[in-house]
Amino acid sequence: MLSNQQIATIFSNIADMLEIMGESKFRFLSYRRASETISELPRDLAAYVEDGTLEEIPGVGKAIADKIRELLHTGQLAYYEKLKTQVPETLVEVMKVNGVGPKKAKLFWDQLGVTTLTALQEAAAAGKLRDLPSMGAKSEAKILESIAALSRQTGRFPIGRVRPTAEAVLKELMTVEGALEGTLAGSLRRGKTTIGDVDILIASESSAPLMERFVNVPRVARVLGKGETKSSIETDSGLQIDLRVLKPSQWGTALQYFTGSKEHNIRIRELALAKGYSLNESAFTPVDADGSIIPDAPKVTCAREEEVYEFLGLPWIPPELREDSGEIEAALQGKLPNLITRADIVADLHMHTTWSDGTLSIRGMAEQAIQRGHRYICITDHSRSLGVANGLSIERLMQQHEEIQQLNEEFEGRITILHGTEMDIKADATLDFPDDVLAQLDFVIASLHVSLGQPRAQITDRLLAAIHNPHVDLIGHPSARYVPDREPVDADWDAVFDAAAKTGVALEINSNPRRLDLDAPYARRAIELGIPLCINTDAHSPTMLDDLTYGLTVARRGWVTAQHVLNAKPLPEFLTWARARGT
DNA sequence: GCCGTTTTCGGCCCGACTGTTTTCAGTCG
């Protein structure tokens, strides 16, 4: 059975191949849109086929739905196979080279027979590209450099690696004389899990000093472009950063525009057109019925982003929601969710100490949690079978219980320490502690750590076994993925979520930037099914307690509000919930 | 190829930068 990701890749390839063939742009854009939507879906495509809701997925009409069904049933697509006889599929890779689009790819193929990245590299190295029409020595050198850059990096970067770098660059630029206002925009502002490149916006009346400083910040490996309003650099780790400098009077429209997403902005501009305005990054411009600019009609500029939405009759939409996944409709109906914030979080229910593989004592973690404003925490060290992490035997677990009781007396209510465990769901689907031990704990997390490559049926059985145990309160990092280097486990998520909804077991949004698990589309599906969530840090050291911000970002992208989240509840309310379980 | 409080046909967002031109096409976001 093909995965959503595999099918998304096929549609993306089809889009690229149609574009190379010079097909109508609306046709190939449809495939690209479908590809993007499919790769973000929280359920397997097969589940939509079963429900008969395939064509309710935005961007999936009859033709693409038919192709999805064919792919799921036969594992192949006749249309795609036929296309491959007309355009070499490997040209899709060639198009990934910076500066090479569909036209150039076709040019190299037609004129030189180049169909692969390697062939392109050889042709460029041999100086064969420079004599082609509209090419020159400069373009040839740029292509060679881009191919080298491609092999250095692996595509998108995890947000946890990008955000600190981006914030440092922004901070440095804001020290330049004349920098009035500055922010990170693009996918970073929207909080995506992985970031393709960084967009920095700065409002200033004079751009030259900013551009000059920008191309000389530390760790610049290459300057990709330098203009009056936009410059681009690549850092030594292969991350691209774009800086745009704009007039303060246009700050609102520009911030809205460069925050994206592209899909959200297309909808916003359609709304503007319906009101008789063309919208770009600098203003609303009055246009007539066929879209031509009306001469001498006054433009509307927005210094604040809220004004852009206000002008269209919308409330301000939080950046995390701007993916054209229902937020425009919700805004029009006044039904935007009141997204969870840091201020709503009063507890952290997943952390480790020196009892297992953490770096700090229980007392130390509690003090750190107090500094961060938490009212209660739960100590959840690993269980006995996880030897590599110094997992606790039943005896040590009981000793830990005593230490926690003593500490609670000592802290005199400044914080409440609950006793829990992060218990392994073992490879044979049994749990690492017996029920009578679990019954003595305040809070039980069950997690997958081993045998993650098992087939779908086994992984699903393990998750279901944990969910159906009455003492288990939370499934920790449910998919066990690492961003970007370990795929999620293969499970029947429909079955897992249904079971969680029926039993009332909570699911975790793990804030560790390597995990971010559940991811946002799954979190959104969880709350739609009424499944409680927990946003935890899984901290193994005090600084990791600050990763909460990443988990909150995921939650906000998943439309999560405070009422969906267990660790946003006051302690008595949380205890009522926890004690109602396990019976 | 998708989609519909104008539409089942005829629409489908916008501009900067680059390198090659000698006024613009291609690429990118």
mmCIF file with all atom_site columns, all heavy atoms in Angstrom, chain A residues 348-351 365 374 508-513 535-541 544-549 567:
data_model
loop_
_atom_site.group_PDB
_atom_site.id
_atom_site.type_symbol
_atom_site.label_atom_id
_atom_site.label_alt_id
_atom_site.label_comp_id
_atom_site.label_asym_id
_atom_site.label_entity_id
_atom_site.label_seq_id
_atom_site.pdbx_PDB_ins_code
_atom_site.Cartn_x
_atom_site.Cartn_y
_atom_site.Cartn_z
_atom_site.occupancy
_atom_site.B_iso_or_equiv
_atom_site.pdbx_formal_charge
_atom_site.auth_seq_id
_atom_site.auth_comp_id
_atom_site.auth_asym_id
_atom_site.auth_atom_id
_atom_site.pdbx_PDB_model_num
ATOM 1   N N   . ASP A 1 348 ? 4.193  20.786 33.671 1.00 0.00 ? 348 ASP A N   1
ATOM 2   C CA  . ASP A 1 348 ? 4.939  19.995 32.690 1.00 0.00 ? 348 ASP A CA  1
ATOM 3   C C   . ASP A 1 348 ? 4.890  18.560 33.206 1.00 0.00 ? 348 ASP A C   1
ATOM 4   O O   . ASP A 1 348 ? 5.328  18.289 34.326 1.00 0.00 ? 348 ASP A O   1
ATOM 5   C CB  . ASP A 1 348 ? 6.385  20.520 32.604 1.00 0.00 ? 348 ASP A CB  1
ATOM 6   C CG  . ASP A 1 348 ? 7.130  19.963 31.396 1.00 0.00 ? 348 ASP A CG  1
ATOM 7   O OD1 . ASP A 1 348 ? 6.698  18.921 30.839 1.00 0.00 ? 348 ASP A OD1 1
ATOM 8   O OD2 . ASP A 1 348 ? 8.156  20.565 31.017 1.00 0.00 ? 348 ASP A OD2 1
ATOM 9   N N   . LEU A 1 349 ? 4.342  17.675 32.402 1.00 0.00 ? 349 LEU A N   1
ATOM 10  C CA  . LEU A 1 349 ? 4.024  16.335 32.906 1.00 0.00 ? 349 LEU A CA  1
ATOM 11  C C   . LEU A 1 349 ? 4.914  15.242 32.337 1.00 0.00 ? 349 LEU A C   1
ATOM 12  O O   . LEU A 1 349 ? 4.567  14.068 32.370 1.00 0.00 ? 349 LEU A O   1
ATOM 13  C CB  . LEU A 1 349 ? 2.544  16.016 32.596 1.00 0.00 ? 349 LEU A CB  1
ATOM 14  C CG  . LEU A 1 349 ? 1.547  16.984 33.241 1.00 0.00 ? 349 LEU A CG  1
ATOM 15  C CD1 . LEU A 1 349 ? 0.128  16.713 32.758 1.00 0.00 ? 349 LEU A CD1 1
ATOM 16  C CD2 . LEU A 1 349 ? 1.624  16.894 34.758 1.00 0.00 ? 349 LEU A CD2 1
ATOM 17  N N   . HIS A 1 350 ? 6.055  15.629 31.786 1.00 0.00 ? 350 HIS A N   1
ATOM 18  C CA  . HIS A 1 350 ? 6.970  14.623 31.242 1.00 0.00 ? 350 HIS A CA  1
ATOM 19  C C   . HIS A 1 350 ? 8.389  15.144 31.366 1.00 0.00 ? 350 HIS A C   1
ATOM 20  O O   . HIS A 1 350 ? 8.776  16.049 30.630 1.00 0.00 ? 350 HIS A O   1
ATOM 21  C CB  . HIS A 1 350 ? 6.604  14.337 29.775 1.00 0.00 ? 350 HIS A CB  1
ATOM 22  C CG  . HIS A 1 350 ? 7.408  13.232 29.139 1.00 0.00 ? 350 HIS A CG  1
ATOM 23  N ND1 . HIS A 1 350 ? 7.089  12.708 27.907 1.00 0.00 ? 350 HIS A ND1 1
ATOM 24  C CD2 . HIS A 1 350 ? 8.503  12.559 29.563 1.00 0.00 ? 350 HIS A CD2 1
ATOM 25  C CE1 . HIS A 1 350 ? 7.954  11.756 27.599 1.00 0.00 ? 350 HIS A CE1 1
ATOM 26  N NE2 . HIS A 1 350 ? 8.837  11.652 28.585 1.00 0.00 ? 350 HIS A NE2 1
ATOM 27  N N   . MET A 1 351 ? 9.137  14.603 32.341 1.00 0.00 ? 351 MET A N   1
ATOM 28  C CA  . MET A 1 351 ? 10.543 15.016 32.458 1.00 0.00 ? 351 MET A CA  1
ATOM 29  C C   . MET A 1 351 ? 11.346 13.926 33.146 1.00 0.00 ? 351 MET A C   1
ATOM 30  O O   . MET A 1 351 ? 10.806 13.080 33.850 1.00 0.00 ? 351 MET A O   1
ATOM 31  C CB  . MET A 1 351 ? 10.667 16.347 33.206 1.00 0.00 ? 351 MET A CB  1
ATOM 32  C CG  . MET A 1 351 ? 10.262 16.296 34.657 1.00 0.00 ? 351 MET A CG  1
ATOM 33  S SD  . MET A 1 351 ? 10.356 17.933 35.419 1.00 0.00 ? 351 MET A SD  1
ATOM 34  C CE  . MET A 1 351 ? 9.060  18.811 34.553 1.00 0.00 ? 351 MET A CE  1
ATOM 35  N N   . MET A 1 365 ? 15.131 19.836 39.197 1.00 0.00 ? 365 MET A N   1
ATOM 36  C CA  . MET A 1 365 ? 14.127 20.042 38.148 1.00 0.00 ? 365 MET A CA  1
ATOM 37  C C   . MET A 1 365 ? 12.940 20.820 38.715 1.00 0.00 ? 365 MET A C   1
ATOM 38  O O   . MET A 1 365 ? 12.375 21.699 38.052 1.00 0.00 ? 365 MET A O   1
ATOM 39  C CB  . MET A 1 365 ? 13.661 18.699 37.566 1.00 0.00 ? 365 MET A CB  1
ATOM 40  C CG  . MET A 1 365 ? 14.703 18.007 36.686 1.00 0.00 ? 365 MET A CG  1
ATOM 41  S SD  . MET A 1 365 ? 15.292 18.991 35.268 1.00 0.00 ? 365 MET A SD  1
ATOM 42  C CE  . MET A 1 365 ? 14.182 18.468 33.983 1.00 0.00 ? 365 MET A CE  1
ATOM 43  N N   . HIS A 1 374 ? 5.741  27.104 36.664 1.00 0.00 ? 374 HIS A N   1
ATOM 44  C CA  . HIS A 1 374 ? 4.849  25.942 36.729 1.00 0.00 ? 374 HIS A CA  1
ATOM 45  C C   . HIS A 1 374 ? 4.287  25.770 38.142 1.00 0.00 ? 374 HIS A C   1
ATOM 46  O O   . HIS A 1 374 ? 4.971  26.026 39.134 1.00 0.00 ? 374 HIS A O   1
ATOM 47  C CB  . HIS A 1 374 ? 5.595  24.667 36.319 1.00 0.00 ? 374 HIS A CB  1
ATOM 48  C CG  . HIS A 1 374 ? 5.939  24.626 34.855 1.00 0.00 ? 374 HIS A CG  1
ATOM 49  N ND1 . HIS A 1 374 ? 5.042  24.973 33.867 1.00 0.00 ? 374 HIS A ND1 1
ATOM 50  C CD2 . HIS A 1 374 ? 7.085  24.276 34.204 1.00 0.00 ? 374 HIS A CD2 1
ATOM 51  C CE1 . HIS A 1 374 ? 5.614  24.841 32.682 1.00 0.00 ? 374 HIS A CE1 1
ATOM 52  N NE2 . HIS A 1 374 ? 6.861  24.428 32.856 1.00 0.00 ? 374 HIS A NE2 1
ATOM 53  N N   . GLU A 1 508 ? 0.179  12.978 23.527 1.00 0.00 ? 508 GLU A N   1
ATOM 54  C CA  . GLU A 1 508 ? 1.170  14.015 23.824 1.00 0.00 ? 508 GLU A CA  1
ATOM 55  C C   . GLU A 1 508 ? 1.532  14.816 22.587 1.00 0.00 ? 508 GLU A C   1
ATOM 56  O O   . GLU A 1 508 ? 1.634  14.278 21.486 1.00 0.00 ? 508 GLU A O   1
ATOM 57  C CB  . GLU A 1 508 ? 2.435  13.359 24.384 1.00 0.00 ? 508 GLU A CB  1
ATOM 58  C CG  . GLU A 1 508 ? 3.513  14.368 24.793 1.00 0.00 ? 508 GLU A CG  1
ATOM 59  C CD  . GLU A 1 508 ? 4.712  13.699 25.441 1.00 0.00 ? 508 GLU A CD  1
ATOM 60  O OE1 . GLU A 1 508 ? 5.421  12.915 24.775 1.00 0.00 ? 508 GLU A OE1 1
ATOM 61  O OE2 . GLU A 1 508 ? 4.933  13.953 26.638 1.00 0.00 ? 508 GLU A OE2 1
ATOM 62  N N   . ILE A 1 509 ? 1.721  16.119 22.801 1.00 0.00 ? 509 ILE A N   1
ATOM 63  C CA  . ILE A 1 509 ? 2.508  16.909 21.859 1.00 0.00 ? 509 ILE A CA  1
ATOM 64  C C   . ILE A 1 509 ? 3.855  17.089 22.535 1.00 0.00 ? 509 ILE A C   1
ATOM 65  O O   . ILE A 1 509 ? 3.984  17.848 23.496 1.00 0.00 ? 509 ILE A O   1
ATOM 66  C CB  . ILE A 1 509 ? 1.870  18.278 21.557 1.00 0.00 ? 509 ILE A CB  1
ATOM 67  C CG1 . ILE A 1 509 ? 0.536  18.091 20.856 1.00 0.00 ? 509 ILE A CG1 1
ATOM 68  C CG2 . ILE A 1 509 ? 2.813  19.120 20.695 1.00 0.00 ? 509 ILE A CG2 1
ATOM 69  C CD1 . ILE A 1 509 ? -0.195 19.398 20.589 1.00 0.00 ? 509 ILE A CD1 1
ATOM 70  N N   . ASN A 1 510 ? 4.844  16.345 22.086 1.00 0.00 ? 510 ASN A N   1
ATOM 71  C CA  . ASN A 1 510 ? 6.169  16.378 22.682 1.00 0.00 ? 510 ASN A CA  1
ATOM 72  C C   . ASN A 1 510 ? 6.923  17.575 22.119 1.00 0.00 ? 510 ASN A C   1
ATOM 73  O O   . ASN A 1 510 ? 7.053  17.727 20.906 1.00 0.00 ? 510 ASN A O   1
ATOM 74  C CB  . ASN A 1 510 ? 6.882  15.058 22.376 1.00 0.00 ? 510 ASN A CB  1
ATOM 75  C CG  . ASN A 1 510 ? 8.190  14.907 23.121 1.00 0.00 ? 510 ASN A CG  1
ATOM 76  O OD1 . ASN A 1 510 ? 9.115  15.673 22.893 1.00 0.00 ? 510 ASN A OD1 1
ATOM 77  N ND2 . ASN A 1 510 ? 8.254  13.926 23.989 1.00 0.00 ? 510 ASN A ND2 1
ATOM 78  N N   . SER A 1 511 ? 7.407  18.448 23.004 1.00 0.00 ? 511 SER A N   1
ATOM 79  C CA  . SER A 1 511 ? 7.960  19.736 22.577 1.00 0.00 ? 511 SER A CA  1
ATOM 80  C C   . SER A 1 511 ? 9.414  19.690 22.132 1.00 0.00 ? 511 SER A C   1
ATOM 81  O O   . SER A 1 511 ? 9.931  20.689 21.631 1.00 0.00 ? 511 SER A O   1
ATOM 82  C CB  . SER A 1 511 ? 7.875  20.745 23.722 1.00 0.00 ? 511 SER A CB  1
ATOM 83  O OG  . SER A 1 511 ? 6.560  20.880 24.164 1.00 0.00 ? 511 SER A OG  1
ATOM 84  N N   . ASN A 1 512 ? 10.071 18.552 22.362 1.00 0.00 ? 512 ASN A N   1
ATOM 85  C CA  . ASN A 1 512 ? 11.458 18.442 21.927 1.00 0.00 ? 512 ASN A CA  1
ATOM 86  C C   . ASN A 1 512 ? 11.517 18.724 20.429 1.00 0.00 ? 512 ASN A C   1
ATOM 87  O O   . ASN A 1 512 ? 10.841 18.063 19.649 1.00 0.00 ? 512 ASN A O   1
ATOM 88  C CB  . ASN A 1 512 ? 11.958 17.027 22.232 1.00 0.00 ? 512 ASN A CB  1
ATOM 89  C CG  . ASN A 1 512 ? 13.416 16.842 21.891 1.00 0.00 ? 512 ASN A CG  1
ATOM 90  O OD1 . ASN A 1 512 ? 13.924 17.446 20.946 1.00 0.00 ? 512 ASN A OD1 1
ATOM 91  N ND2 . ASN A 1 512 ? 14.089 16.011 22.661 1.00 0.00 ? 512 ASN A ND2 1
ATOM 92  N N   . PRO A 1 513 ? 12.319 19.729 20.003 1.00 0.00 ? 513 PRO A N   1
ATOM 93  C CA  . PRO A 1 513 ? 12.285 20.097 18.576 1.00 0.00 ? 513 PRO A CA  1
ATOM 94  C C   . PRO A 1 513 ? 12.710 18.962 17.654 1.00 0.00 ? 513 PRO A C   1
ATOM 95  O O   . PRO A 1 513 ? 12.439 19.020 16.459 1.00 0.00 ? 513 PRO A O   1
ATOM 96  C CB  . PRO A 1 513 ? 13.237 21.297 18.481 1.00 0.00 ? 513 PRO A CB  1
ATOM 97  C CG  . PRO A 1 513 ? 14.004 21.305 19.746 1.00 0.00 ? 513 PRO A CG  1
ATOM 98  C CD  . PRO A 1 513 ? 13.185 20.614 20.781 1.00 0.00 ? 513 PRO A CD  1
ATOM 99  N N   . ILE A 1 535 ? 0.915  19.050 26.432 1.00 0.00 ? 535 ILE A N   1
ATOM 100 C CA  . ILE A 1 535 ? 2.080  19.632 25.763 1.00 0.00 ? 535 ILE A CA  1
ATOM 101 C C   . ILE A 1 535 ? 3.243  19.560 26.744 1.00 0.00 ? 535 ILE A C   1
ATOM 102 O O   . ILE A 1 535 ? 3.315  20.340 27.701 1.00 0.00 ? 535 ILE A O   1
ATOM 103 C CB  . ILE A 1 535 ? 1.809  21.090 25.342 1.00 0.00 ? 535 ILE A CB  1
ATOM 104 C CG1 . ILE A 1 535 ? 0.532  21.167 24.500 1.00 0.00 ? 535 ILE A CG1 1
ATOM 105 C CG2 . ILE A 1 535 ? 2.999  21.641 24.557 1.00 0.00 ? 535 ILE A CG2 1
ATOM 106 C CD1 . ILE A 1 535 ? 0.075  22.589 24.212 1.00 0.00 ? 535 ILE A CD1 1
ATOM 107 N N   . ASN A 1 536 ? 4.119  18.589 26.550 1.00 0.00 ? 536 ASN A N   1
ATOM 108 C CA  . ASN A 1 536 ? 5.195  18.321 27.507 1.00 0.00 ? 536 ASN A CA  1
ATOM 109 C C   . ASN A 1 536 ? 6.554  18.562 26.880 1.00 0.00 ? 536 ASN A C   1
ATOM 110 O O   . ASN A 1 536 ? 6.696  18.553 25.660 1.00 0.00 ? 536 ASN A O   1
ATOM 111 C CB  . ASN A 1 536 ? 5.124  16.864 27.965 1.00 0.00 ? 536 ASN A CB  1
ATOM 112 C CG  . ASN A 1 536 ? 3.880  16.598 28.807 1.00 0.00 ? 536 ASN A CG  1
ATOM 113 O OD1 . ASN A 1 536 ? 3.422  17.471 29.530 1.00 0.00 ? 536 ASN A OD1 1
ATOM 114 N ND2 . ASN A 1 536 ? 3.352  15.389 28.691 1.00 0.00 ? 536 ASN A ND2 1
ATOM 115 N N   . THR A 1 537 ? 7.572  18.725 27.774 1.00 0.00 ? 537 THR A N   1
ATOM 116 C CA  . THR A 1 537 ? 8.909  18.966 27.217 1.00 0.00 ? 537 THR A CA  1
ATOM 117 C C   . THR A 1 537 ? 9.739  17.691 27.095 1.00 0.00 ? 537 THR A C   1
ATOM 118 O O   . THR A 1 537 ? 10.656 17.641 26.293 1.00 0.00 ? 537 THR A O   1
ATOM 119 C CB  . THR A 1 537 ? 9.710  19.947 28.091 1.00 0.00 ? 537 THR A CB  1
ATOM 120 O OG1 . THR A 1 537 ? 9.901  19.366 29.366 1.00 0.00 ? 537 THR A OG1 1
ATOM 121 C CG2 . THR A 1 537 ? 9.003  21.280 28.179 1.00 0.00 ? 537 THR A CG2 1
ATOM 122 N N   . ASP A 1 538 ? 9.436  16.657 27.938 1.00 0.00 ? 538 ASP A N   1
ATOM 123 C CA  . ASP A 1 538 ? 10.293 15.472 27.914 1.00 0.00 ? 538 ASP A CA  1
ATOM 124 C C   . ASP A 1 538 ? 11.729 15.893 28.251 1.00 0.00 ? 538 ASP A C   1
ATOM 125 O O   . ASP A 1 538 ? 12.706 15.351 27.723 1.00 0.00 ? 538 ASP A O   1
ATOM 126 C CB  . ASP A 1 538 ? 10.226 14.832 26.519 1.00 0.00 ? 538 ASP A CB  1
ATOM 127 C CG  . ASP A 1 538 ? 10.810 13.424 26.466 1.00 0.00 ? 538 ASP A CG  1
ATOM 128 O OD1 . ASP A 1 538 ? 11.271 12.939 27.515 1.00 0.00 ? 538 ASP A OD1 1
ATOM 129 O OD2 . ASP A 1 538 ? 10.810 12.846 25.365 1.00 0.00 ? 538 ASP A OD2 1
ATOM 130 N N   . ALA A 1 539 ? 11.858 16.890 29.140 1.00 0.00 ? 539 ALA A N   1
ATOM 131 C CA  . ALA A 1 539 ? 13.179 17.473 29.423 1.00 0.00 ? 539 ALA A CA  1
ATOM 132 C C   . ALA A 1 539 ? 14.087 16.454 30.102 1.00 0.00 ? 539 ALA A C   1
ATOM 133 O O   . ALA A 1 539 ? 13.684 15.748 31.022 1.00 0.00 ? 539 ALA A O   1
ATOM 134 C CB  . ALA A 1 539 ? 13.016 18.708 30.309 1.00 0.00 ? 539 ALA A CB  1
ATOM 135 N N   . HIS A 1 540 ? 15.317 16.392 29.620 1.00 0.00 ? 540 HIS A N   1
ATOM 136 C CA  . HIS A 1 540 ? 16.357 15.592 30.264 1.00 0.00 ? 540 HIS A CA  1
ATOM 137 C C   . HIS A 1 540 ? 17.374 16.503 30.956 1.00 0.00 ? 540 HIS A C   1
ATOM 138 O O   . HIS A 1 540 ? 18.325 16.029 31.544 1.00 0.00 ? 540 HIS A O   1
ATOM 139 C CB  . HIS A 1 540 ? 17.064 14.699 29.238 1.00 0.00 ? 540 HIS A CB  1
ATOM 140 C CG  . HIS A 1 540 ? 16.225 13.532 28.777 1.00 0.00 ? 540 HIS A CG  1
ATOM 141 N ND1 . HIS A 1 540 ? 15.067 13.682 28.043 1.00 0.00 ? 540 HIS A ND1 1
ATOM 142 C CD2 . HIS A 1 540 ? 16.378 12.199 28.964 1.00 0.00 ? 540 HIS A CD2 1
ATOM 143 C CE1 . HIS A 1 540 ? 14.555 12.481 27.792 1.00 0.00 ? 540 HIS A CE1 1
ATOM 144 N NE2 . HIS A 1 540 ? 15.329 11.566 28.341 1.00 0.00 ? 540 HIS A NE2 1
ATOM 145 N N   . SER A 1 541 ? 17.179 17.822 30.814 1.00 0.00 ? 541 SER A N   1
ATOM 146 C CA  . SER A 1 541 ? 18.068 18.799 31.439 1.00 0.00 ? 541 SER A CA  1
ATOM 147 C C   . SER A 1 541 ? 17.254 20.070 31.635 1.00 0.00 ? 541 SER A C   1
ATOM 148 O O   . SER A 1 541 ? 16.198 20.241 31.009 1.00 0.00 ? 541 SER A O   1
ATOM 149 C CB  . SER A 1 541 ? 19.267 19.079 30.529 1.00 0.00 ? 541 SER A CB  1
ATOM 150 O OG  . SER A 1 541 ? 18.829 19.776 29.382 1.00 0.00 ? 541 SER A OG  1
ATOM 151 N N   . MET A 1 544 ? 16.190 22.178 28.611 1.00 0.00 ? 544 MET A N   1
ATOM 152 C CA  . MET A 1 544 ? 15.162 21.593 27.744 1.00 0.00 ? 544 MET A CA  1
ATOM 153 C C   . MET A 1 544 ? 13.752 21.930 28.210 1.00 0.00 ? 544 MET A C   1
ATOM 154 O O   . MET A 1 544 ? 12.791 21.755 27.462 1.00 0.00 ? 544 MET A O   1
ATOM 155 C CB  . MET A 1 544 ? 15.356 20.082 27.643 1.00 0.00 ? 544 MET A CB  1
ATOM 156 C CG  . MET A 1 544 ? 16.572 19.694 26.804 1.00 0.00 ? 544 MET A CG  1
ATOM 157 S SD  . MET A 1 544 ? 16.909 17.915 26.849 1.00 0.00 ? 544 MET A SD  1
ATOM 158 C CE  . MET A 1 544 ? 15.612 17.286 25.795 1.00 0.00 ? 544 MET A CE  1
ATOM 159 N N   . LEU A 1 545 ? 13.625 22.418 29.463 1.00 0.00 ? 545 LEU A N   1
ATOM 160 C CA  . LEU A 1 545 ? 12.302 22.847 29.917 1.00 0.00 ? 545 LEU A CA  1
ATOM 161 C C   . LEU A 1 545 ? 11.792 24.014 29.073 1.00 0.00 ? 545 LEU A C   1
ATOM 162 O O   . LEU A 1 545 ? 10.597 24.272 29.010 1.00 0.00 ? 545 LEU A O   1
ATOM 163 C CB  . LEU A 1 545 ? 12.359 23.264 31.392 1.00 0.00 ? 545 LEU A CB  1
ATOM 164 C CG  . LEU A 1 545 ? 12.558 22.113 32.393 1.00 0.00 ? 545 LEU A CG  1
ATOM 165 C CD1 . LEU A 1 545 ? 12.885 22.670 33.773 1.00 0.00 ? 545 LEU A CD1 1
ATOM 166 C CD2 . LEU A 1 545 ? 11.320 21.224 32.453 1.00 0.00 ? 545 LEU A CD2 1
ATOM 167 N N   . ASP A 1 546 ? 12.719 24.726 28.428 1.00 0.00 ? 546 ASP A N   1
ATOM 168 C CA  . ASP A 1 546 ? 12.326 25.870 27.598 1.00 0.00 ? 546 ASP A CA  1
ATOM 169 C C   . ASP A 1 546 ? 11.850 25.460 26.202 1.00 0.00 ? 546 ASP A C   1
ATOM 170 O O   . ASP A 1 546 ? 11.379 26.297 25.435 1.00 0.00 ? 546 ASP A O   1
ATOM 171 C CB  . ASP A 1 546 ? 13.500 26.852 27.471 1.00 0.00 ? 546 ASP A CB  1
ATOM 172 C CG  . ASP A 1 546 ? 13.872 27.431 28.823 1.00 0.00 ? 546 ASP A CG  1
ATOM 173 O OD1 . ASP A 1 546 ? 12.946 27.721 29.612 1.00 0.00 ? 546 ASP A OD1 1
ATOM 174 O OD2 . ASP A 1 546 ? 15.083 27.572 29.093 1.00 0.00 ? 546 ASP A OD2 1
ATOM 175 N N   . ASP A 1 547 ? 11.983 24.194 25.867 1.00 0.00 ? 547 ASP A N   1
ATOM 176 C CA  . ASP A 1 547 ? 11.495 23.729 24.560 1.00 0.00 ? 547 ASP A CA  1
ATOM 177 C C   . ASP A 1 547 ? 9.977  23.824 24.441 1.00 0.00 ? 547 ASP A C   1
ATOM 178 O O   . ASP A 1 547 ? 9.426  23.669 23.351 1.00 0.00 ? 547 ASP A O   1
ATOM 179 C CB  . ASP A 1 547 ? 11.909 22.270 24.311 1.00 0.00 ? 547 ASP A CB  1
ATOM 180 C CG  . ASP A 1 547 ? 13.394 22.136 24.023 1.00 0.00 ? 547 ASP A CG  1
ATOM 181 O OD1 . ASP A 1 547 ? 14.019 23.168 23.692 1.00 0.00 ? 547 ASP A OD1 1
ATOM 182 O OD2 . ASP A 1 547 ? 13.921 21.017 24.124 1.00 0.00 ? 547 ASP A OD2 1
ATOM 183 N N   . LEU A 1 548 ? 9.322  24.079 25.580 1.00 0.00 ? 548 LEU A N   1
ATOM 184 C CA  . LEU A 1 548 ? 7.867  24.198 25.582 1.00 0.00 ? 548 LEU A CA  1
ATOM 185 C C   . LEU A 1 548 ? 7.357  25.076 24.441 1.00 0.00 ? 548 LEU A C   1
ATOM 186 O O   . LEU A 1 548 ? 6.320  24.825 23.845 1.00 0.00 ? 548 LEU A O   1
ATOM 187 C CB  . LEU A 1 548 ? 7.430  24.784 26.928 1.00 0.00 ? 548 LEU A CB  1
ATOM 188 C CG  . LEU A 1 548 ? 5.961  24.695 27.297 1.00 0.00 ? 548 LEU A CG  1
ATOM 189 C CD1 . LEU A 1 548 ? 5.474  23.259 27.249 1.00 0.00 ? 548 LEU A CD1 1
ATOM 190 C CD2 . LEU A 1 548 ? 5.742  25.280 28.688 1.00 0.00 ? 548 LEU A CD2 1
ATOM 191 N N   . THR A 1 549 ? 8.105  26.111 24.125 1.00 0.00 ? 549 THR A N   1
ATOM 192 C CA  . THR A 1 549 ? 7.683  27.046 23.084 1.00 0.00 ? 549 THR A CA  1
ATOM 193 C C   . THR A 1 549 ? 7.484  26.344 21.735 1.00 0.00 ? 549 THR A C   1
ATOM 194 O O   . THR A 1 549 ? 6.572  26.656 20.980 1.00 0.00 ? 549 THR A O   1
ATOM 195 C CB  . THR A 1 549 ? 8.699  28.211 22.952 1.00 0.00 ? 549 THR A CB  1
ATOM 196 O OG1 . THR A 1 549 ? 8.448  28.896 21.741 1.00 0.00 ? 549 THR A OG1 1
ATOM 197 C CG2 . THR A 1 549 ? 10.132 27.716 22.940 1.00 0.00 ? 549 THR A CG2 1
ATOM 198 N N   . ASN A 1 567 ? -2.334 19.936 30.826 1.00 0.00 ? 567 ASN A N   1
ATOM 199 C CA  . ASN A 1 567 ? -1.435 20.717 31.671 1.00 0.00 ? 567 ASN A CA  1
ATOM 200 C C   . ASN A 1 567 ? -1.699 22.220 31.595 1.00 0.00 ? 567 ASN A C   1
ATOM 201 O O   . ASN A 1 567 ? -0.865 23.023 31.986 1.00 0.00 ? 567 ASN A O   1
ATOM 202 C CB  . ASN A 1 567 ? 0.045  20.390 31.411 1.00 0.00 ? 567 ASN A CB  1
ATOM 203 C CG  . ASN A 1 567 ? 0.440  20.433 29.955 1.00 0.00 ? 567 ASN A CG  1
ATOM 204 O OD1 . ASN A 1 567 ? -0.294 19.982 29.091 1.00 0.00 ? 567 ASN A OD1 1
ATOM 205 N ND2 . ASN A 1 567 ? 1.604  20.979 29.678 1.00 0.00 ? 567 ASN A ND2 1
#
